[in-house]
Amino acid sequence: MLVDGQSFQTVWAVTEGTARVRIIDQRLLPWKFEVVDLNSVEEVAIAIKDMWVRGAGCIGATAGFGMWLAAMEAAGEEDFARGLKSRADRLRGTRPTAVNLAYAVDRQLRAIGEVADREVAVRVSLETALAIAEEDVAACQAIGEHGLKVIEELSRAKNGGVVNLLTHCNAGWLAFVDHGSATAPIYAAQRAGIAVHVWVDETRPRNQGARLTAWELAQQGVPHTVICDNTGGHLMQHGMVDMVITGADRVSCQGDVANKIGTYLKALAARDNGVPFYVALPSSTIDWNLRDGVRDIPIEQRGDEEVRMMEGWSASSNEVGEVTLFPAQSAAANYAFDVTPARLVTGLITEAGICAAAEEALLSLHQIS
Ligand SMILES: CSC[C@H]1O[C@H](OP(=O)(O)O)[C@H](O)[C@@H]1O
């Protein structure tokens, strides 16, 4: 997507000179836009774990490129397979909920494992990383086109009036390689000349909505309003939301949706008020081996400092600072995701089209017998 008129993706490979992975460091957005190099698997692992990059598609692609670095590092060791596996385990262990990460690591292990020659294995790992990234871009573009149909229908029902969407967290292009999942239909609607407005949940505790989604939408000129996480229910009660659209970090084979903490509450409010609740995701986010999402999707618990503290821009010191939000002696819990049961989901939007949140519909849409 465009950043101040220049086209960017969130992660890419640098092959000239020393091979390295280059990312948009999302930690200081929206106040500072910084591109940094990751020169080793360990640096890639830290960048994923500490959320320099975040979002299911983005961390999947970053892990894919991390496996390219892993192949190069292991190629210089006596036991290539052992070196590759230990690095794969390091990457896989960084964040548990988004299935895209494990998908990318496992796909790389399969691709590299089929090659005997180490030099060829390194080339295959780069080709595979590029394929994962390119497929993410293509999937998000297709999600945009399929999701556009839903927004067009809402626009027609409102005789061309503004379609008000609500989104939670950041499932925008910063959460993928490009375009995003939840935001792709929004960008497609804007290109199609449909009047849209987005209610942007701030999304405590890391405020991916207020900091990242708002920045993205502002960069693309999409009208939007940042709201506190607890506001959405009121807006839906008063007819101010025509559609909720979110991303997903993992979807079970029966359509249960793991996404940023708070998504479930939005789905409950949407159901109570008859507001369609759509989830946009590339099919690489579907975990075909897991059925009961509420019971079985691993929910990442992060450090309580993310709840205890809040980052912001200090006008006085002209830099990012952080403040403590409550008494030090108070305990804090930091569940990073929740699971919305399929029964609360109106539809799933993938690169293959739109289907009900149900196993048979998912299998049929993705032509899996
Ligand atoms: C669908 S990818 C975006 C997804 O990832 C976010 O989590 P995090 O920022 O912690 O990586 C959030 O769940 C978004 O919906």
Side-chain angles (χ1 to χ4, degrees):
M1 294 296 276
L2 294 179
V3 179
D4 297 332
Q6 184 178 348
S7 181
F8 277 93
Q9 293 186 338
T10 54
V11 55
W12 63 100
V14 177
T15 54
E16 296 80 28
T18 307
R20 54 206 184 278
V21 178
R22 190 161 283 173
I23 62 168
I24 294 173
D25 182 349
Q26 301 184 28
R27 287 178 295 173
L28 295 182
L29 284 174
W31 305 293
K32 288 185 179 178
F33 178 84
E34 294 185 349
V35 171
V36 299
D37 285 349
L38 305 175
N39 298 292
S40 67
V41 170
E42 186 55 25
E43 287 183 10
V44 172
I46 290 167
I48 295 172
K49 175 65 180 171
D50 293 347
M51 297 175 68
W52 304 17
V53 290
R54 30 66 50 200
C58 181
I59 63 180
T62 304
F65 283 114
M67 285 299 290
W68 166 52
L69 297 186
M72 283 187 282
E73 292 175 9
E77 297 174 350
E78 185 177 344
D79 188 334
F80 176 70
R82 182 177 175 182
L84 193 67
K85 184 181 182 309
S86 65
R87 292 172 172 87
D89 290 345
R90 173 70 174 109
L91 290 170
R92 192 188 283 110
T94 50
R95 297 192 72 191
T97 303
V99 72
N100 309 59
L101 195 161
Y103 165 85
V105 170
D106 292 339
R107 177 169 167 181
Q108 279 280 31
L109 286 174
R110 285 194 304 273
I112 300 168
E114 292 171 6
V115 178
D117 180 277
R118 294 185 178 193
E119 195 172 315
V120 174
V122 168
R123 189 176 74 246
V124 165
S125 68
L126 177 57
E127 290 167 356
T128 305
L130 291 170
I132 291 168
E134 288 156 10
E135 288 164 18
D136 183 272
V137 171
C140 288
Q141 281 179 307
I143 289 167
E145 293 313 309
H146 293 309
L148 172 61
K149 300 183 187 91
V150 180
I151 299 175
E152 281 174 335
E153 198 173 308
L154 290 167
S155 177
R156 279 194 294 272
K158 298 188 77 172
N159 297 316
V162 175
V163 177
N164 289 298
L165 301 102
L166 184 145
T167 193
H168 189 71
C169 199
N170 173 251
W173 74 271
L174 289 171
F176 289 86
V177 175
D178 206 340
H179 306 292
S181 59
T183 57
I186 297 169
Y187 295 139
Q190 182 192 38
R191 290 194 300 271
I194 295 172
V196 294
H197 166 265
V198 185
W199 298 108
V200 177
D201 273 357
E202 62 181 348
T203 316
R204 282 279 290 140
R206 290 184 65 105
N207 294 338
Q208 289 94 324
R211 294 180 54 169
L212 304 179
T213 302
W215 178 80
E216 278 196 42
L217 295 176
Q219 281 284 335
Q220 308 308 322
V222 177
H224 61 283
T225 305
V226 177
I227 52 176
C228 298
D229 290 332
N230 300 325
T231 310
H234 167 74
L235 297 175
M236 292 187 225
Q237 274 180 331
H238 292 269
M240 300 167 76
V241 179
D242 300 305
M243 169 184 181
V244 177
I245 185 167
T246 76
D249 292 80
R250 190 187 299 238
V251 173
S252 75
C253 67
Q254 70 181 15
D256 300 329
V257 173
N259 196 51
K260 184 53 54 194
I261 192 77
T263 305
Y264 173 42
L265 296 177
K266 291 299 159 351
L268 286 170
R271 176 52 53 89
D272 192 50
N273 292 282
V275 174
F277 183 91
Y278 282 89
V279 178
L281 63 137
S283 59
S284 56
T285 303
I286 300 168
D287 185 344
W288 299 104
N289 300 312
L290 186 148
R291 179 174 303 280
D292 185 334
V294 174
R295 188 189 67 196
D296 296 331
I297 292 179
I299 298 299
E300 178 183 10
Q301 291 191 53
R302 296 182 62 86
D304 71 5
E305 73 285 351
E306 294 181 350
V307 180
R308 206 173 286 284
M309 313 292 285
M310 175 92 84
E311 280 187 340
W313 182 260
S314 166
S316 58
S317 62
N318 204 34
E319 60 185 1
V320 178
E322 61 179 14
V323 294
T324 304
L325 297 176
F326 51 81
Q329 62 266 40
S330 299
N334 187 6
Y335 295 91
F337 299 92
D338 60 23
V339 178
T340 298
R343 60 181 167 79
L344 296 177
V345 178
T346 306
L348 299 172
I349 307 169
T350 83
E351 69 276 14
I354 301 176
C355 72
E359 182 172 18
E360 189 176 334
L362 278 167
L363 292 171
S364 171
L365 181 63
H366 297 92
Q367 298 174 340
I368 299 171
S369 53

